[in-house]
Amino acid sequence: MLLFAALLIFPPDVAQRLIGGALSDGAAYARLAELSDTIGPRLSGSPGAEAAVKWALQKFQQDGLSAHLEPVKVPHWVRGEERGEILPSKYAVGHPLALTALGGSVGGTATGEVIEARSLPEIAALGEQARGKIVFLNHTMGVKGGYGDFVELRTKGPSEAGKVGAAGVLLRSLATASLRSPHTGTTTYDPGAPKIPAAAISVEDAELLRRLLQRGAVKVRFALGCRWLPDADSANVVADVRGRELPDEVVLLGAHLDSWDLATGATDDGAGVAIVMEAGRLIAKEHPRRTVRVVLYMNEENGLAGGNGYAAAHQAELSKHVAALESDSGAGRPTEVRVHAGAPGAALLAPWLTPLESLGITEVIDGEASGADISTLGPASVPMVAVRQDGTHYFETHHSAADTLDKVEPEALAKSAAAVAVVAFALAEMPQPLPRPAPTLEPHRPEGPKPPAH
Amino acid sequence: MLLFAALLIFPPDVAQRLIGGALSDGAAYARLAELSDTIGPRLSGSPGAEAAVKWALQKFQQDGLSAHLEPVKVPHWVRGEERGEILPSKYAVGHPLALTALGGSVGGTATGEVIEARSLPEIAALGEQARGKIVFLNHTMGVKGGYGDFVELRTKGPSEAGKVGAAGVLLRSLATASLRSPHTGTTTYDPGAPKIPAAAISVEDAELLRRLLQRGAVKVRFALGCRWLPDADSANVVADVRGRELPDEVVLLGAHLDSWDLATGATDDGAGVAIVMEAGRLIAKEHPRRTVRVVLYMNEENGLAGGNGYAAAHQAELSKHVAALESDSGAGRPTEVRVHAGAPGAALLAPWLTPLESLGITEVIDGEASGADISTLGPASVPMVAVRQDGTHYFETHHSAADTLDKVEPEALAKSAAAVAVVAFALAEMPQPLPRPAPTLEPHRPEGPKPPAH
């Protein structure tokens, strides 16, 4: 659905303040720098996560939003020391492995011969051959992406390998670039399956394993110091710009405050946090018709306790959640708007989005627009809207030690904040809300779909 | 000096066998894979270095060359455990530092406030301000290169910082790309200056330090487990294709067999080793007029014992070394030939290099053509010839844990081997040897000039 530049439904002065503010004041980047550099990694249950909750509450209050915490219990997994090696054999020296535990893995040591599998069915097909061995989960994710195609190897592969008696799992990192850098991410064990240690190895180490397997048998050993602690108390941070006419109708802007522990989570999802906070800050001055609610979810990465907790706590109000938008695709420039609100949704929204043309967005696409945290609102038929972003470099650093502030281009971040501000204001101001789509059947997902880079 | 395709001085059948052999048999890549994957890192004094010496001797013999070892004593430095952190302050949490000791650093722990310097004069200018502090050596090497401009910060910076009383040094890695990856490389202490621990931090960590310094004082602590052991016995591997008419006249092809310890040194300098071995193997079947000698030097990275040792042992024959070529620029495709042999050298050589046109090389450039190891032959007026290679990606992995075989493109490697084979055969076959240049004054360099990427 093309935008209609001739129509000036969106108040031009508001557009100017939202876009001009986002592009000129550097506030989103400054806030992201503060979150990344002064608070640091924010895995659920960690001191960093708790510091981030307090920080966000204070910032919202400074911005003039009405903010509060909504408690959630979160899983508490900690990494510890970790190391691994390819053992020397008669035809090759040993090599250290650049590895990192998958989030949620049990700790322990695993030693065994390596056996390769490239899909969940291939793991199952190994059967008795896998007993006592280390299953090497290989795949073809490369510079062109493919995260969505292979993420199941990480989330389910270790459990599948446990079922066939493997001693451990080494996953080729899900990454589009590598300088010997392993990428973590959550894995989930089936309750009935044996829990075996599981780690990601760098792309280089995966390539080395593959080459050595062509020479003969390969044995590895790795030790993970990770462990599970009792669930921790944490919170979603919820901040409202109260609607001037329809305060009970809510446009929800979400991002997740937690991050993996290996880096400062500047792009996953510090950028999303900065984008929705900036949108909230700018919209607070504009007094839209409906309430705009910024929700900084806790525990997107390894549990979705925040997404589930919000949906449960607000069940009674979800029929008045008129739209939800999640920002969890990094810090790239905005590329398009998607809306999932039944067929007429895009047509209804398009005339309101003409200010986005100045940001290079000329179309509203009717399509999938959900996110991990807001997917929990799907059963309540909440319309979903997404500002898609350029993801060219997203999976180069995703879930790795290199997800740091230097990967963020301030101008691109500001443009995405501007786009989200415009979209949110439009949703909060348009006379008729979006039509509601059919409810999604799945109440929630254990881990949300990260948007593939391509 | 343009090549002259019309002239067919170079025997066409030989050109066909040299180029066709290099491009079709995959031998250079297979050998590099064996060196990288089955022997691994090869820092001077390590078991890997000694295994590589034995391996190379055996391979030369298999290839039909007359090979022997020439003993050299090498420095023996080992890395050990290493870690560091930015300490928490009143305005920021602590952060782990991705760091690695500079080669040759003393071990130990250093704790102190960070003070930045960007050049050797800036270190000296710090004076008393630096006492007890950690000098952060920052610079602007980036994606476009600049290694040659900043390498002095690494080789001399720690010693300069010691002179002004610093407790330690953290160097921004010399790199054109980073995914939180520190790059090592040698540092040399002045005999009279205090020796302080020195490490490279990743580009990301350098950027973080810079940002935190803008917020206020920053304190770091790091601990290096590296240490010096007694000098070790090692060897250069020297292999001759004996000349059919002028066996005493030698065309020397050099590369270095040692590597840094963080990775398998696939591009630095496994690729050079594979290139010159492949050239030797192919030329051995062609019985050129002069002797072609392949020298795999030991200890280029941290001492140049091999380069110095060869020059000393062969002093009496250096007047009959008619040319020297060093391959130590990675595995990229060949881009040009350089010759340093006095003005008429390029004109004399050009007609002999017409087969290189099929590899995309159309010119011989009169210019700097030396290398670290062969620079020790400069005082004896040995003409230098270089096959320059595409270095676009060289400094992305140089001296880091990511210098692994997957960075090598087999076709580019084969082309460089073909080019070196052609150049070496030409030098060994042309009736008149190259004119000899004026002797270089500097007898040798502590560390050779790595070619800048751009």
Side-chain angles (χ1 to χ4, degrees):
Chain A
M1 179 64 58
L2 291 172
L3 307 184
F4 303 99
L7 294 172
L8 283 177
I9 299 176
F10 197 106
D13 57 325
V14 175
Q16 197 171 42
R17 288 192 295 270
L18 294 179
I19 296 177
L23 297 190
S24 68
D25 62 16
Y29 185 80
R31 194 156 281 182
L32 175 56
E34 203 173 300
L35 178 63
S36 301
D37 290 354
T38 76
I39 293 178
R42 306 173 294 283
L43 189 59
S44 293
S46 69
E50 292 324 286
V53 166
K54 290 197 184 96
W55 171 86
L57 182 67
Q58 188 184 39
K59 293 291 167 185
F60 278 132
Q61 288 163 345
Q62 285 173 12
D63 289 346
L65 279 72
S66 169
H68 67 279
L69 303 185
E70 300 192 352
V72 287
K73 276 275 184 195
V74 294
H76 191 184
W77 176 88
V78 292
R79 183 170 300 280
E81 297 285 325
E82 47 196 16
R83 62 177 65 203
E85 56 183 322
I86 298 172
L87 297 170
S89 67
K90 63 183 179 205
Y91 53 84
V93 291
H95 292 270
L97 286 166
L99 59 69
T100 197
L102 295 185
S105 173
V106 293
T109 300
T111 307
E113 202 177 294
V114 172
I115 188 164
E116 183 178 342
R118 290 179 163 256
S119 66
L120 299 183
E122 270 192 39
I123 299 171
L126 292 177
E128 273 304 308
Q129 286 182 83
R131 188 158 301 282
K133 294 194 179 149
I134 308 298
V135 174
F136 163 38
L137 296 178
N138 202 358
H139 55 80
T140 56
M141 181 168 173
V143 291
K144 292 188 177 167
Y147 187 79
D149 299 334
F150 300 114
V151 66
E152 216 176 42
L153 283 177
R154 192 192 73 215
T155 54
K156 300 181 181 170
S159 204
E160 292 304 300
K163 289 176 190 168
V164 290
V169 162
L170 293 175
L171 168 74
R172 179 190 174 112
S173 285
L174 298 167
T176 52
S178 187
L179 290 171
R180 205 81 187 278
S181 24
H183 295 234
T184 191
T186 207
T187 195
T188 308
Y189 298 109
D190 282 1
K195 294 180 170 64
I196 59 174
I201 56 176
S202 79
V203 169
E204 284 90 341
D205 291 277
E207 291 284 319
L208 176 61
L209 273 186
R210 190 187 53 77
R211 292 194 304 270
L212 290 177
L213 285 168
Q214 287 166 354
R215 292 183 188 271
V218 178
K219 223 173 155 183
V220 300
R221 175 169 54 206
F222 66 97
L224 307 181
C226 50
R227 60 191 202 281
W228 282 92
L229 301 177
D231 285 356
D233 290 316
S234 189
N236 292 330
V237 187
V238 180
D240 282 358
V241 176
R242 191 175 159 83
R244 68 169 194 276
E245 288 180 15
L246 300 166
D248 295 344
E249 296 192 7
V250 172
V251 174
L252 187 152
L253 306 182
H256 67 86
L257 200 48
D258 63 309
S259 78
W260 280 106
D261 57 329
L262 296 174
T264 59
T267 73
D268 186 14
D269 184 27
V273 167
I275 287 168
V276 297
M277 288 182 99
E278 175 69 348
R281 187 182 74 87
L282 293 166
I283 291 172
K285 303 169 187 168
E286 304 298 343
H287 311 290
R289 195 187 308 266
R290 298 185 186 81
T291 291
V292 172
R293 174 172 297 170
V294 182
V295 182
L296 301 184
Y297 291 97
M298 182 51 61
N299 187 227
E300 188 272 348
E301 292 294 5
N302 60 337
L304 217 66
N308 289 323
Y310 181 90
H314 294 267
Q315 194 60 48
E317 314 152 42
L318 296 187
S319 63
K320 294 214 164 174
H321 278 47
V322 300
L325 175 153
E326 182 164 330
S327 184
D328 185 16
S329 308
R333 67 177 169 78
T335 55
E336 66 184 36
V337 174
R338 292 206 175 206
V339 57
H340 176 67
L348 197 67
L349 185 58
W352 276 84
L353 300 187
T354 54
L356 296 182
E357 293 193 327
S358 69
L359 298 166
I361 297 175
T362 55
E363 222 177 338
V364 178
I365 293 165
D366 184 21
E368 205 279 315
S370 189
D373 285 309
I374 63 173
S375 70
T376 58
L377 308 178
S381 291
V382 177
M384 303 290 180
V385 182
V387 172
R388 294 290 182 117
Q389 294 167 261
D390 175 30
T392 307
H393 299 292
Y394 187 62
F395 285 101
E396 296 177 359
T397 60
H398 178 253
H399 292 189
S400 83
D403 184 2
T404 48
L405 186 66
D406 51 287
K407 307 308 182 303
V408 175
E409 205 275 288
E411 189 184 329
L413 181 75
K415 283 183 175 171
S416 281
V420 168
V422 165
V423 170
F425 183 86
L427 292 164
E429 192 65 23
M430 51 201 282
Q432 292 297 323
L434 293 175
R436 296 181 82 82
T440 52
L441 295 175
E442 203 180 3
H444 59 80
R445 313 184 197 188
E447 195 206 38
K450 293 289 185 179
H454 297 273
Chain B
M1 180 64 59
L2 290 172
L3 307 185
F4 304 98
L7 294 172
L8 283 175
I9 299 175
F10 198 107
D13 57 325
V14 175
Q16 197 172 42
R17 288 192 295 271
L18 294 179
I19 295 176
L23 297 190
S24 67
D25 63 16
Y29 185 80
R31 194 155 281 182
L32 175 56
E34 203 172 300
L35 179 62
S36 301
D37 290 354
T38 77
I39 292 178
R42 306 173 294 283
L43 188 58
S44 292
S46 70
E50 292 324 286
V53 166
K54 291 198 184 96
W55 171 86
L57 182 67
Q58 189 184 39
K59 293 291 167 184
F60 278 132
Q61 287 163 346
Q62 284 174 13
D63 290 346
L65 281 72
S66 170
H68 66 280
L69 304 184
E70 301 192 352
V72 287
K73 277 275 183 195
V74 294
H76 191 185
W77 177 88
V78 292
R79 181 169 302 279
E81 297 285 324
E82 46 197 17
R83 64 177 64 203
E85 57 183 321
I86 297 172
L87 296 170
S89 67
K90 63 183 179 206
Y91 54 84
V93 291
H95 292 271
L97 286 166
L99 59 69
T100 196
L102 295 185
S105 173
V106 294
T109 300
T111 307
E113 202 178 293
V114 173
I115 188 164
E116 184 178 341
R118 290 179 164 256
S119 66
L120 299 182
E122 271 192 38
I123 299 171
L126 292 177
E128 273 304 307
Q129 285 182 83
R131 187 158 302 282
K133 293 193 179 149
I134 308 298
V135 174
F136 163 39
L137 296 177
N138 202 0
H139 55 80
T140 55
M141 181 167 173
V143 291
K144 292 188 177 168
Y147 187 79
D149 299 334
F150 300 113
V151 66
E152 216 175 41
L153 283 177
R154 192 191 72 215
T155 54
K156 300 181 180 170
S159 203
E160 292 304 300
K163 289 175 190 169
V164 289
V169 161
L170 293 176
L171 168 74
R172 179 189 175 113
S173 285
L174 297 166
T176 52
S178 187
L179 291 171
R180 204 82 186 275
S181 23
H183 295 235
T184 190
T186 207
T187 195
T188 308
Y189 299 108
D190 281 2
K195 294 180 169 64
I196 58 174
I201 56 175
S202 78
V203 169
E204 285 90 342
D205 292 277
E207 291 284 318
L208 175 62
L209 273 186
R210 190 187 53 77
R211 293 193 304 269
L212 290 178
L213 284 169
Q214 287 167 353
R215 292 183 187 270
V218 178
K219 222 173 155 182
V220 300
R221 175 169 54 206
F222 66 97
L224 307 181
C226 50
R227 62 191 201 282
W228 282 92
L229 302 178
D231 285 356
D233 289 316
S234 190
N236 293 331
V237 187
V238 180
D240 281 359
V241 177
R242 192 174 158 82
R244 69 169 193 277
E245 288 180 17
L246 300 165
D248 295 344
E249 294 192 7
V250 173
V251 174
L252 187 151
L253 306 182
H256 67 87
L257 200 47
D258 63 309
S259 77
W260 280 106
D261 56 329
L262 296 174
T264 60
T267 73
D268 186 14
D269 182 28
V273 167
I275 287 167
V276 296
M277 288 181 98
E278 176 68 349
R281 187 182 74 87
L282 293 166
I283 290 172
K285 303 169 189 169
E286 304 299 342
H287 310 290
R289 195 187 308 266
R290 299 185 185 82
T291 291
V292 171
R293 174 172 297 171
V294 182
V295 181
L296 301 184
Y297 292 97
M298 181 52 61
N299 187 228
E300 187 273 346
E301 292 294 5
N302 59 338
L304 217 66
N308 289 322
Y310 181 90
H314 294 267
Q315 194 61 47
E317 315 153 42
L318 295 187
S319 64
K320 293 213 165 175
H321 278 48
V322 301
L325 175 153
E326 181 164 329
S327 184
D328 185 17
S329 308
R333 68 179 168 76
T335 56
E336 66 184 36
V337 173
R338 291 205 176 207
V339 57
H340 175 67
L348 196 68
L349 184 58
W352 275 85
L353 299 186
T354 54
L356 296 182
E357 293 194 327
S358 69
L359 298 167
I361 297 174
T362 55
E363 222 178 339
V364 178
I365 293 164
D366 184 20
E368 206 279 315
S370 189
D373 284 309
I374 63 173
S375 70
T376 57
L377 309 178
S381 292
V382 177
M384 304 289 180
V385 183
V387 172
R388 294 291 182 117
Q389 294 167 259
D390 175 30
T392 307
H393 299 291
Y394 187 61
F395 285 101
E396 296 177 359
T397 60
H398 178 253
H399 293 187
S400 84
D403 184 2
T404 48
L405 186 65
D406 50 287
K407 307 307 181 305
V408 175
E409 205 275 288
E411 190 185 328
L413 181 75
K415 283 183 174 171
S416 281
V420 168
V422 166
V423 170
F425 183 86
L427 292 165
E429 193 64 24
M430 51 202 283
Q432 292 296 323
L434 293 175
R436 297 180 83 81
T440 52
L441 295 175
E442 202 180 3
H444 59 79
R445 312 185 196 187
E447 194 206 38
K450 294 289 185 179
H454 297 273

